[in-house]
Amino acid sequence: MDQAEGLRAIIKASKSSSKALARVIAVTSGKGGVGKSNTAINLAIQLKKLGQRVIILDADFGLANIEIMFGTVPKHNLCDLIYQGKSIQEIITRGAGNVDFISGGSGIVDLANLSRQHLIYIIQNLAQLDTMADVIIIDTGAGIADAVIEFLVASDEIILVTTPEPTSITDSYSLLKVLHQHTRFSVEECRIKVLTNRVENQEEGQNLFDKLNVVVGRYLELPLTYVGAIPQDNRLAEAVMRQTPVSLWAPEAKSARAYERLAARLMDKEEQTEMKKKGMAAFFSQLLSGKK
């Protein structure tokens, strides 16, 4: 049995199981500093408030934004599962608001050098996340680095965070262009959702999306969905300095309310019906299929 066949067998087994598969959402951005990790954390907290079991995977390797924003230092990370034989339970850290997260570390870039047996072991462990979470949020790196694009190609659902800054809009388009040109990217199997951040009001957020959508539709013919806006909010900035998510520190703040609306929209019945959940085994198997 070759490596690909072994991974396909794991996916088939996970899909045939009576256990529900987790919904995997990748949160990304065309450039750094636009609020991507803040979105991942506050969305997770708001989904938790709605009764969802949520785990964040910090895939922004080397920066550790999630643990910094939570003010929590994990004992283990994904590298310890890959190279030290730790179990999936051992590498999960409890963050603020009882939201669990997994620190990525930096070792995933070396996955191409692992044996088939080792890769299957990793996939089998990560597939256990489907029994632990209803929603898994992947906080990717920013920009168009290979590692970021590979995570997005493997995703069924992407939230692209952008701001009114001209460079943010341009970089968002560049990311979508690179993603669209990737040989393994499927327009039919991935839903791309745009969240506008640091806008003055809802109108500015809608206008920002419309501008991006027109260009993307004209040159890439890539369907985008607008999922809302997060307003400019000094209380969010203060929460970051306190290393406490604004959704916990100031739940009445306008940014926290906006994240609350985002979570509610993502959990809308119609939205849920349209989503096809594949779970973590399929996600990582697709991610690793490009590492040959």
Side-chain angles (χ1 to χ4, degrees):
M1 183 189 305
D2 64 13
Q3 177 172 304
E5 187 177 350
L7 297 180
R8 283 195 294 270
I10 297 174
I11 297 173
K12 185 177 180 180
S14 67
K15 287 184 176 180
S16 62
S17 170
S18 59
K19 298 175 183 177
L21 298 175
R23 179 178 180 180
V24 181
I25 303 173
V27 180
T28 194
S29 61
K31 67 185 293 289
V34 301
K36 171 182 58 64
S37 295
N38 247 319
T39 294
I41 285 180
N42 284 285
L43 174 58
I45 290 170
Q46 297 296 347
L47 288 171
K48 184 80 173 181
K49 290 181 179 180
L50 293 176
Q52 298 295 295
R53 298 173 301 158
V54 186
I55 294 177
I56 303 173
L57 171 60
D58 188 351
D60 195 350
F61 305 122
L63 295 182
N65 285 333
I66 298 299
E67 61 191 74
I68 292 172
M69 291 183 176
F70 269 140
T72 304
V73 180
K75 292 182 179 179
H76 303 291
N77 58 39
L78 187 59
C79 292
D80 294 317
L81 181 145
I82 297 172
Y83 302 110
Q84 303 300 325
K86 297 294 181 181
S87 68
I88 191 68
Q89 290 84 358
E90 289 178 297
I91 68 169
I92 295 176
T93 303
R94 177 61 52 88
N98 290 325
V99 172
D100 292 331
F101 71 96
I102 297 173
S103 178
S106 58
I108 201 167
V109 296
D110 296 323
L111 287 178
N113 300 322
L114 299 179
S115 67
R116 177 180 66 86
Q117 290 82 3
H118 202 161
L119 287 173
I120 290 175
Y121 164 79
I122 295 166
I123 296 295
Q124 287 173 330
N125 271 272
L126 291 169
Q128 295 180 42
L129 292 174
D130 286 323
T131 67
M132 303 176 188
D134 301 305
V135 181
I136 297 169
I137 296 176
I138 313 287
D139 182 29
T140 77
I144 58 175
D146 289 345
V148 175
I149 299 302
E150 289 296 336
F151 268 96
L152 299 181
V153 168
S155 301
D156 302 318
E157 188 173 1
I158 298 169
I159 295 179
L160 173 62
V161 182
T162 190
T163 72
E165 297 178 29
T167 52
S168 177
I169 301 171
T170 301
D171 290 340
S172 293
Y173 175 81
S174 296
L175 183 148
L176 291 173
K177 182 178 179 180
V178 173
L179 179 63
H180 187 253
Q181 293 174 341
H182 195 287
T183 55
R184 289 185 291 108
F185 175 74
S186 171
V187 176
E188 292 76 20
E189 296 183 4
C190 180
R191 294 186 178 274
I192 302 175
K193 303 170 181 181
V194 177
L195 178 71
T196 55
N197 191 28
R198 297 177 188 161
V199 295
E200 292 300 322
N201 50 50
Q202 294 295 322
E203 182 179 3
E204 183 183 21
Q206 181 68 58
N207 290 339
L208 174 56
F209 168 76
D210 290 342
K211 291 178 182 178
L212 179 62
N213 193 36
V214 166
V215 177
V216 170
R218 179 181 303 166
Y219 296 106
L220 303 181
E221 297 183 353
L222 193 62
L224 303 178
T225 301
Y226 183 52
V227 290
I230 310 298
Q232 182 73 36
D233 187 2
N234 291 334
R235 304 198 75 183
L236 188 150
E238 188 174 348
V240 171
M241 295 301 295
R242 291 172 177 265
Q243 290 184 276
T244 303
V246 69
S247 292
L248 295 176
W249 179 67
E252 76 289 350
K254 56 185 180 179
S255 56
R257 294 295 190 191
Y259 284 121
E260 184 178 3
R261 290 191 295 271
L262 171 63
R265 171 159 184 166
L266 294 178
M267 294 306 298
D268 181 82
K269 288 184 178 179
E270 183 177 343
E271 179 96 12
Q272 292 275 57
T273 302
E274 294 178 356
M275 289 308 307
K276 182 179 180 181
K277 295 186 285 188
K278 295 182 180 178
M280 285 302 285
F283 175 85
F284 268 91
S285 295
Q286 186 169 348
L287 176 68
L288 297 176
S289 67
K291 295 179 177 295
K292 297 178 180 178

